[in-house]
Amino acid sequence: MVTPKKTATGAERRAELLATAAEVFAELGYNATTVRTIADRAGMLAGSLYYHFDSKESMADEILSAFLTDLWAGYQRIEEAERGPRETFEGLVAESFRQMERHRPAVAIYQKEARHLAPQERFRYLADSQERFQKLWTRTLERGVADGSFRADLDIPVAYRFVRDTVWVAAVWFRPQGRKSAAEIAEQYTSMVLDGIATRPVAG
């Protein structure tokens, strides 16, 4: 007796199409990507794709909102733990890389497209997320300066931009199957940022 081949459910197929769309958006850019491009990559007719999504905007919206929902849930857990500034900093970096591992194409899309998409009503939450991100990291850095965990002469706005850019630019080169895991990279990152890369002089 031949066992019939199991077909993907509607939800599974939808998730597969979103994953394909995310890869295409990350590779080609939002404006250069069409529904036909995504359908071709998924091996289906463009008309069939409309059975699952009404537009490429809908796909981009779901991809980005899913990433940010997971990211902020993780950040909230770290804040609610009420740890010290250094431990909070380390936790936020680790969570950022963990979400990068889970949502790598979405992070790349967010990095490249958020500024252009945010003025649209449908994507207004992107600007809100950027503001929340700045407040969270700024608050953590200020706490560290206040309790002596971080240098008293730290320029908070510059430090925030450094942290933001150096964490998220990793989406360009990070690969989940690379030689180091997201957790290992996050540990290296926090070590370099908080402890530096120069050797310390040996006391004589």
Side-chain angles (χ1 to χ4, degrees):
M1 180 178 177
V2 177
T3 303
K5 184 178 180 180
K6 184 179 179 181
T7 58
T9 66
E12 289 170 341
R13 184 55 173 155
R14 205 169 188 279
E16 290 171 0
L17 292 173
L18 278 177
T20 299
E23 292 287 353
V24 177
F25 284 136
E27 177 186 338
L28 302 180
Y30 179 79
N31 287 335
T33 298
T34 64
V35 170
R36 181 177 295 278
T37 308
I38 298 168
D40 288 346
R41 188 72 65 90
M44 66 192 305
L45 297 174
S48 300
L49 190 59
Y50 283 112
Y51 174 78
H52 300 277
F53 303 96
D54 61 11
S55 64
K56 75 171 187 178
E57 287 84 1
S58 294
M59 288 182 273
D61 184 9
E62 289 201 37
I63 291 163
L64 291 169
S65 60
F67 155 58
L68 290 173
T69 296
D70 285 351
L71 178 69
W72 283 107
Y75 280 175
Q76 185 174 350
R77 287 194 298 270
I78 292 164
E79 275 213 291
E80 288 176 350
E82 297 183 347
R83 294 180 288 183
R86 182 183 175 109
E87 291 76 16
T88 298
F89 183 100
E90 292 171 343
L92 293 174
V93 170
E95 183 63 24
S96 299
F97 276 98
R98 189 174 79 85
Q99 295 301 335
M100 200 179 302
E101 186 171 45
R102 293 188 62 194
H103 297 279
R104 186 189 59 77
V107 174
I109 298 165
Y110 184 81
Q111 287 290 94
K112 296 176 184 177
E113 311 291 352
R115 182 177 299 177
H116 307 295
L117 292 174
Q120 300 179 35
E121 184 63 32
R122 184 168 197 163
F123 295 98
R124 191 66 56 84
Y125 63 87
L126 296 176
D128 295 338
S129 182
Q130 289 174 336
E131 185 176 346
R132 287 178 66 191
F133 189 85
Q134 181 173 358
K135 287 180 178 178
L136 170 60
W137 283 92
T138 297
R139 189 162 59 243
T140 302
L141 294 168
E142 288 174 343
R143 285 176 54 217
V145 170
D147 78 352
S149 298
F150 304 147
R151 289 166 31 187
D153 64 344
L154 189 68
D155 186 310
I156 301 294
V158 171
Y160 158 70
R161 290 181 174 84
F162 173 77
V163 170
R164 177 196 65 193
D165 294 346
T166 51
V167 167
W168 294 110
V169 77
V172 174
W173 53 263
F174 173 73
R175 294 295 179 272
Q177 295 79 27
R179 67 184 184 87
K180 286 188 177 293
S181 69
E184 289 172 328
I185 294 173
E187 185 177 356
Q188 276 282 311
Y189 176 88
T190 53
S191 175
M192 287 188 290
V193 170
L194 297 176
D195 301 320
I197 63 173
T199 57
R200 295 179 181 178
V202 178

